[in-house]
Amino acid sequence: MHDEALTRWQRGWSAARGWNDAQRVDDVTVVLIGEPQRRVSYVATERNAAAAAHLALTDRNPPGTSWLTIATAEPERLAAELLPLDIVRTEWLMTISLPEQALHPVPAPYAVEVTGGPSLIDVQIYGYGELAASGRMSVLHTGAVADMIQTDPAHRRRGLARAVMTTLATHAVARHTTTAHLSASPEGHPLYTSLGWTTLTPLLIARTAPL
């Protein structure tokens, strides 16, 4: 269930972050990252959670640097089954038809800047002489994926995240992309829900236990 959506999200998420080396092992997507705090990420549905956990626990990466994202309807139950992995948090895989997303303009006195390439849209909102909010959307043949939506704490509660999402959606639709996915944190989930995004499934985020 949600296999296709999870795959679409993983491909766009990886593209948004420049993680271009991925392979399939035992029906688990292995994203080779190589960053100091995250060497690899194993992405799978619940039926392949045991295989993903085995890969993480038996690879040769330093403790705490092998991560997992598992789509599951029951994250609390699965978390207990995945011990001794370190359970980090629960996120939510969400989707939307981009033309249906609620639109919110950039509030004054802020200004928006859009950059990127053929497969990336980067949005930065500036105000009071500094970067106030930003976000990125990868645009692939499988659809778009929103990622790294951030607002500086000093500029929160001013509608900037909504303006970032509006700008990303508008530019993705202009590129003839209609469907999008994202992984929502506990903080971001209410925002995306209010914009019209639909929750498909919880995502359990875990990693090997750090020292």
Side-chain angles (χ1 to χ4, degrees):
M1 188 175 183
H2 305 306
D3 296 49
E4 183 179 355
L6 184 66
T7 297
R8 290 188 176 193
W9 167 78
Q10 176 273 312
R11 290 176 178 171
W13 172 65
S14 297
R17 303 207 176 195
W19 299 336
N20 299 315
D21 193 351
Q23 54 188 282
R24 292 282 288 181
V25 178
D26 296 333
D27 292 322
V28 176
T29 300
V30 183
V31 183
L32 302 178
I33 298 169
E35 297 177 357
Q37 303 303 317
R38 184 181 296 210
R39 298 292 182 88
V40 65
S41 184
Y42 300 101
V43 180
T45 57
E46 182 175 343
R47 67 175 176 272
N48 298 309
H54 176 74
L55 289 170
L57 292 169
T58 58
D59 66 26
R60 297 186 177 183
N61 294 316
T65 66
S66 295
W67 289 69
L68 300 90
T69 299
I70 309 295
T72 173
E74 300 179 272
E76 292 185 2
R77 175 189 56 76
L78 183 60
E81 295 177 3
L82 291 182
L83 295 175
L85 290 170
D86 180 36
I87 306 304
V88 179
R89 62 184 174 272
T90 297
E91 297 186 355
W92 291 268
L93 179 61
M94 306 186 76
T95 191
I96 197 170
S97 172
L98 286 173
E100 299 176 6
Q101 179 182 273
L103 303 180
H104 296 267
V106 179
Y110 293 93
V112 64
E113 179 178 317
V114 182
T115 58
S119 61
L120 286 177
I121 303 167
D122 281 305
V123 171
Q124 298 88 28
I125 294 180
Y126 294 91
Y128 304 95
E130 61 186 10
L131 178 63
S134 61
R136 170 174 285 185
M137 181 171 278
S138 62
V139 181
L140 307 176
H141 70 279
T142 54
V145 170
D147 190 35
M148 298 185 288
I149 312 302
Q150 302 175 356
T151 303
D152 185 276
H155 299 271
R156 289 176 180 168
R157 299 187 181 280
R158 302 182 188 184
L160 298 185
R162 296 177 183 275
V164 168
M165 293 299 295
T166 292
T167 306
L168 290 171
T170 300
H171 281 262
V173 170
R175 298 185 184 193
H176 309 290
T177 300
T178 58
T179 302
H181 293 84
L182 60 75
S183 176
S185 67
E187 296 78 17
H189 190 252
L191 165 69
Y192 304 127
T193 299
S194 72
L195 290 172
W197 288 70
T198 299
T199 300
L200 297 177
T201 180
L203 298 173
L204 182 66
I205 312 299
R207 63 177 177 174
T208 50
L211 291 177

